[in-house]
Amino acid sequence: MTEPAWVQHVIWWQIYPLGFVGAYPADPPPGPDEHRLRRVVGWLDHAIELGASGIALGPVFASRTHGYDTVDHYRIDPRLGDDGDFDTLVAEAKSRGLRILLDGVFNHVAADFARSDWFRKGDKGFDTFEGHGNLIALDHDNPEVITHTVDVMTHWLGRGADGWRLDAAYAVPDRFWAEVLPLVRARYPDAWFVGEVIHGDYAARVAESRFDSVTQYELWKAIWSALIDGNFHELDWALLRHNEFLDTFVPMTFAGNHDVTRIASRLSGAGHLEHALVLLFTTGGTPSVYAGDEFAYLGVKEERFGGDDAVRPEFGPAPNDDEHRQDVFRLHQHLIGLRRRHSWLHTARTSALHLANRQYVYETRDGATALVVALNIDDAPLRVALDDLGRGSGRIVAGSGAPPADDVTDVDVEPHGWMIIQPG
């Protein structure tokens, strides 16, 4: 593994700045004199209260529309503000002990990007990103594109960033990243690099590209799909794959992000939002919470122009008067606190102790340290007999409808409930 030591302890709170501060979509768009990026500063204490230790920012660089059509990698998007606003955000975050992750789009740029000689030529003009005519693919075999990417990444690391999420990394040749990242690490060896990869051989991509991590879409899909379909066999299969990834790198895990339907909307019919969160925070990985998910915000992504807007809303005051949202927030706090007290979970492997369609008991372990997690989405209670499972007795550290208890040997998990037990 190449990741820096600090990553073991990080919990990201991810925001999409242009939407978060109401800069996109907006008519008319705000100007730099409105300093919208500074609105994020007002939420940093919320991130601390949540338990996060890092802020994962979406695109903040000058772009044409949604941030992923970059026109200038060295300039803060004028709809967000200016360099001074970025410096203020970084300084305020650092004063609270929060890391900063930036979102870098180096696969493609806006059609009016200044260096059209860097565009990749195809049979019918310039190549585009997945057919989007306004997103022009860069020529990753051009040495100047390599130099530019290294320079941009080191520039903003020098301005206070701690790492990069590399957008659409799956569309870029691995050889490009393998040239870029060692040059960046030579100057900033403590930086962290996570590639956006959706399908394919994650481990091979990490090895060939020199990423520290990739986005764990396989586990994300298995979590909500298993809960909706009542099929924990699918989840167990995904966790077996996840164990294999952890042999060589630690994936970035999440229940939601700016590109997908909100987890509360996914599970609105089936329920079991709590179970999804328990899974996120008790399995190996580098967890990320998408802003608003901690309040059970709703939003459905649609495959159309503007189809992301519902999951990228402007943020007003925190919803302190909604009991359900506060319950979900407190559960996030509790599980993140558990995660941070047990930092070994970062590289923990899971193994099934009991597996049925709608009932699942797994052990999550790193060396001699372990937790037993029981998930029940059935109408019947789930009996967990630790002695029969070869775990003797244990202490309940979290659960639905159950106060903490010491030295339990067997417990019943209520219908549609969950429990986390620390073996004694």
Side-chain angles (χ1 to χ4, degrees):
M1 295 185 185
T2 60
E3 70 174 27
W6 60 263
V7 180
Q8 178 181 359
H9 305 281
V10 78
I11 307 287
W12 296 109
W13 187 58
Q14 185 213 352
I15 69 172
Y16 172 74
L18 286 167
F20 191 93
V21 304
Y24 177 83
D27 187 18
D33 56 330
E34 295 188 35
H35 305 286
R36 292 282 182 105
L37 189 61
R38 295 186 185 231
R39 294 187 185 182
V40 177
V41 173
W43 282 83
L44 295 181
D45 289 337
H46 165 80
I48 294 293
E49 185 182 5
L50 177 67
S53 53
I55 307 296
L57 295 171
V60 296
F61 308 122
S63 68
R64 189 58 55 211
T65 58
H66 46 55
Y68 292 95
D69 48 355
T70 313
V71 295
D72 188 344
H73 290 103
Y74 293 100
R75 185 163 60 101
I76 296 298
D77 196 302
R79 294 168 295 175
L80 295 175
D82 54 29
D83 272 10
D85 300 316
F86 177 81
D87 291 341
T88 296
L89 174 56
V90 170
E92 292 288 343
K94 299 295 183 180
S95 72
R96 293 166 172 82
L98 293 166
R99 300 275 180 172
I100 295 289
L101 185 71
L102 294 180
D103 199 345
V105 190
F106 301 110
N107 174 66
H108 52 269
V109 292
D112 55 348
F113 186 77
R115 296 297 302 269
S116 60
D117 56 318
W118 291 354
F119 294 173
R120 189 174 70 220
K121 297 178 176 62
D123 295 335
K124 299 179 180 180
F126 295 126
D127 285 341
T128 62
F129 173 60
E130 297 182 349
H132 299 286
N134 293 321
L135 302 179
I136 309 299
L138 291 170
D139 179 3
H140 297 100
D141 290 323
N142 185 330
E144 292 185 358
V145 174
I146 294 172
T147 300
H148 172 76
T149 303
V150 172
D151 191 63
V152 170
M153 293 175 77
T154 54
H155 172 80
W156 293 103
L157 289 169
R159 294 279 297 276
D162 294 283
W164 286 89
R165 172 195 177 270
L166 302 170
D167 181 72
Y170 58 87
V172 178
D174 289 334
R175 64 181 181 275
F176 175 81
W177 300 120
E179 287 193 62
V180 166
L181 295 183
L183 295 173
V184 179
R185 281 196 182 97
R187 292 184 58 185
Y188 294 94
D190 210 32
W192 185 65
F193 305 95
V194 54
E196 184 196 17
V197 179
I198 300 175
H199 306 293
D201 188 338
Y202 291 172
R205 295 303 300 259
V206 168
E208 293 169 14
S209 65
R210 312 285 181 87
F211 298 142
D212 292 307
S213 180
V214 296
T215 49
Q216 224 305 26
Y217 272 92
E218 284 188 12
L219 184 57
W220 162 78
K221 191 269 180 185
I223 288 174
W224 57 259
S225 180
L227 294 172
I228 290 173
D229 296 339
N231 180 14
F232 277 131
H233 293 276
E234 176 186 359
L235 176 63
D236 186 65
W237 181 88
L239 285 171
L240 289 173
R241 288 262 298 168
H242 192 64
N243 287 342
E244 294 175 1
F245 300 147
L246 287 162
D247 289 338
T248 54
F249 74 98
V250 181
M252 186 179 195
T253 53
F254 55 95
N257 64 32
H258 66 295
D259 278 330
V260 300
T261 290
R262 293 235 181 223
I263 187 65
S265 290
R266 288 273 189 195
L267 299 175
S268 60
H272 306 124
L273 177 60
E274 293 185 11
H275 298 71
L277 300 177
V278 171
L279 280 160
L280 175 63
F281 292 112
T282 62
T283 52
T286 302
S288 173
V289 176
Y290 182 47
D293 282 357
E294 72 271 30
F295 293 126
Y297 278 7
L298 301 175
V300 176
K301 177 185 172 71
E302 299 178 4
E303 297 301 328
R304 59 173 179 82
F305 180 77
D308 294 313
D309 295 349
V311 299
R312 302 174 178 180
E314 182 175 2
F315 273 56
N320 295 322
D321 58 347
D322 186 293
E323 184 174 351
H324 171 63
R325 286 179 171 172
Q326 284 303 303
D327 285 344
V328 174
F329 178 72
R330 284 190 289 267
L331 179 60
H332 273 83
Q333 285 182 305
H334 186 77
L335 292 172
I336 291 173
L338 175 73
R339 178 69 174 227
R340 294 187 70 171
R341 289 191 302 274
H342 299 277
S343 59
W344 56 267
L345 284 165
H346 183 64
T347 52
R349 273 64 161 185
T350 58
S351 57
L353 302 179
H354 170 76
L355 176 60
N357 283 339
R358 302 180 65 82
Q359 296 181 329
Y360 188 36
V361 182
Y362 62 90
E363 180 182 70
T364 183
R365 173 178 291 276
D366 185 64
T369 313
L371 295 173
V372 172
V373 182
L375 304 175
N376 186 13
I377 60 172
D378 199 56
D379 295 332
L382 166 62
R383 187 70 167 173
V384 180
L386 291 174
D387 196 44
D388 292 347
L389 296 173
R391 299 304 182 273
S393 64
R395 179 175 65 89
I396 299 172
V397 295
S400 57
D406 291 327
D407 297 325
V408 296
T409 56
D410 46 59
V411 293
D412 286 321
V413 181
E414 64 184 354
H416 305 281
W418 57 274
M419 194 168 290
I420 303 174
I421 303 167
Q422 187 167 11

